[in-house]
Amino acid sequence: SAVISQKPSRDICQRGTSLTIQCQVDSQVTMMFWYRQQPGQSLTLIATANQGSEATYESGFVIDKFPISRPNLTFSTLTVSNMSPEDSSIYLCSVLDDREGKTQYFGPGTRLLVL
Amino acid sequence: GQNIDQPTEMTATEGAIVQINCTYQTSGFNGLFWYQQHAGEAPTFLSYNVLDGLEEKGRFSSFLSRSKGYSYLLLKELQMKDSASYLCAPVDSNYQLIWGAGTKLIIKP
């Protein structure tokens, strides 16, 4: 299975600042996703990170708030901009492993607390 | 609309068997995943069913009935480390996983 790493693993940030989360995969993957999971809630898809083009955002998420980069098939970043306490959550990078029947694997997550 | 229904919480005894049920409604269907998620951690893949029937993998088995929009995860010989949330995630016509809140499984000695 694909091995996924995320940096940072956790952070505490001040209101109004921005944080960029990095996601690295050990193999080339077609599809990469960014999810958010607030305490006790289900996973919520933020966007699909597209290589070489703009990300595809889900309803309720916009590029100005969550800019995403995907410069190649093994790396992506998600930025949480102008943070507020409501952005406190776990942010998860996920990839679709085409080698294994399109199973979706998750990175370890980034735990973000906004004060 | 798209909907997933799982029990919010279940309790079972160490060494016993537990079945976690999931019913779903999706626009199109391209299989169903089960994931395990320990508190504060990322989900980990357990199983994927695309055809009707039972898939067995060690202590865990997963069943799918596409006509009934129904799946279950069966856990045998429960261990304390099996205490976690179990997420049923069907795949819709756009190949997107649809996530519910999952079932929190509590294992007691």
Side-chain angles (χ1 to χ4, degrees):
Chain A
S1 61
V3 177
I4 307 166
S5 59
Q6 280 185 239
K7 289 195 295 188
S9 59
R10 60 179 67 240
D11 208 341
I12 300 173
C13 300
Q14 296 296 321
R15 182 195 300 259
T17 62
S18 298
L19 176 72
T20 295
I21 303 168
Q22 298 180 5
C23 177
Q24 180 75 53
V25 192
D26 70 339
S27 59
Q28 292 187 339
V29 292
T30 309
M31 311 227 15
M32 293 180 77
F33 307 93
W34 287 99
Y35 284 86
R36 179 171 76 180
Q37 187 175 33
Q38 294 173 313
Q41 304 297 312
S42 63
L43 291 158
T44 302
L45 180 63
I46 297 171
T48 302
N50 301 310
Q51 195 265 328
S53 64
E54 194 172 285
T56 305
Y57 289 84
E58 297 302 307
S59 175
F61 298 96
V62 295
I63 188 171
D64 290 346
K65 175 67 175 176
F66 297 101
I68 288 171
S69 79
R70 176 115 191 252
N72 56 53
L73 293 176
T74 63
F75 185 78
S76 178
T77 67
L78 168 75
T79 298
V80 187
S81 303
N82 188 25
M83 289 184 283
S84 67
E86 291 72 32
D87 294 320
S88 298
S89 186
I90 296 177
Y91 290 84
L92 295 152
C93 169
S94 173
V95 306
L96 212 55
D97 193 331
D98 296 320
R99 300 170 301 178
E100 298 192 21
K102 296 191 179 301
T103 299
Q104 198 164 341
Y105 291 97
F106 289 86
T110 295
R111 289 147 193 78
L112 173 62
L113 176 64
V114 183
L115 303 177
Chain B
Q2 313 210 90
N3 186 59
I4 297 167
D5 192 22
Q6 292 180 244
T8 304
E9 187 174 296
M10 298 180 70
T11 302
T13 304
E14 190 176 15
I17 299 173
V18 71
Q19 178 174 312
I20 303 174
N21 295 322
C22 170
T23 57
Y24 61 87
Q25 289 179 307
T26 56
S27 51
F29 181 76
N30 285 293
L32 184 144
F33 287 92
W34 282 94
Y35 285 82
Q36 180 191 61
Q37 187 176 26
H38 286 98
E41 298 182 9
T44 56
F45 168 75
L46 289 178
S47 67
Y48 174 62
N49 294 63
V50 65
L51 300 176
D52 289 350
L54 187 68
E55 296 266 350
E56 297 187 69
K57 191 187 291 186
R59 293 190 299 116
F60 292 6
S61 302
S62 56
F63 172 84
L64 175 67
S65 169
R66 290 171 296 172
S67 62
K68 296 181 179 178
Y70 168 69
S71 175
Y72 68 73
L73 182 70
L74 190 72
L75 292 77
K76 303 176 185 176
E77 301 169 17
L78 286 170
Q79 302 175 8
M80 297 302 293
K81 67 178 182 179
D82 297 330
S83 291
S85 288
Y86 291 85
L87 310 174
C88 163
V91 184
D92 71 9
S93 56
N94 293 320
Y95 290 92
Q96 284 204 356
L97 273 67
I98 311 302
W99 299 93
T103 298
K104 182 178 180 181
L105 178 63
I106 299 168
I107 310 297
K108 295 186 174 179

